[in-house]
Amino acid sequence: MVSITTKTPSSRTAVARCTVHFSNPTAYPLVVTNSLKKGDVLGVARIAGIMAAKRTPDIIPLCHPIQLTHAEVELMPVGPVAPPVEGSSDSSGYGYGYIDIKATVSCYGKTGVEMEAMTAASAAALTVYDM
């Protein structure tokens, strides 16, 4: 573990983002209408992300334990986009919908919270996929 003994404490914030894209038309409507057998996907994923931020040193080797002052995970469903017009070369954005995930983590300390933010976003995304 790298020594942070001589560093001066300061306010630190990190933001990490990721997306979970659906590969078929079935999942997105079930997620946004809260109709999956496992329950509220977005709510459970939000809690999983926050819990993961708090447990980052247990998951990532040599990561400093940090006293977090704020952890927030936002999940925004983005609906399916119609396929491009035939003959068009633009296929950007085409798909069956996705969940945009944004994790924001803050602390007042000697080291940053980037790992906590990335761990929160990753855990939320894995939870969406699992459910």
Side-chain angles (χ1 to χ4, degrees), residues 4 7-13 65-69 106-113:
I4 58 171
K7 285 188 160 186
T8 303
S10 63
S11 180
R12 298 162 183 269
T13 299
I66 298 173
Q67 182 82 30
L68 301 181
T69 57
S106 302
C107 78
Y108 183 81
K110 294 183 173 192
T111 188
V113 287

Side-chain angles (χ1 to χ4, degrees), residues 5 24 27 43 51-52 54 56 66 69 75 86 96 100 103 118 122:
T5 306
N24 66 59
M51 290 175 64
K54 295 170 68 172
T56 299
I66 298 173
T69 57
L75 294 99
E86 192 168 322
Y96 299 107
D100 182 46
M118 289 188 286
S122 299

Side-chain angles (χ1 to χ4, degrees), residues 29-55:
L30 293 173
V31 170
V32 297
T33 60
N34 198 15
S35 301
L36 285 166
K37 291 178 185 175
K38 286 189 174 184
D40 179 5
V41 173
L42 303 178
V44 172
R46 182 176 293 108
I47 296 301
I50 292 168
M51 290 175 64
K54 295 170 68 172
R55 301 298 300 257

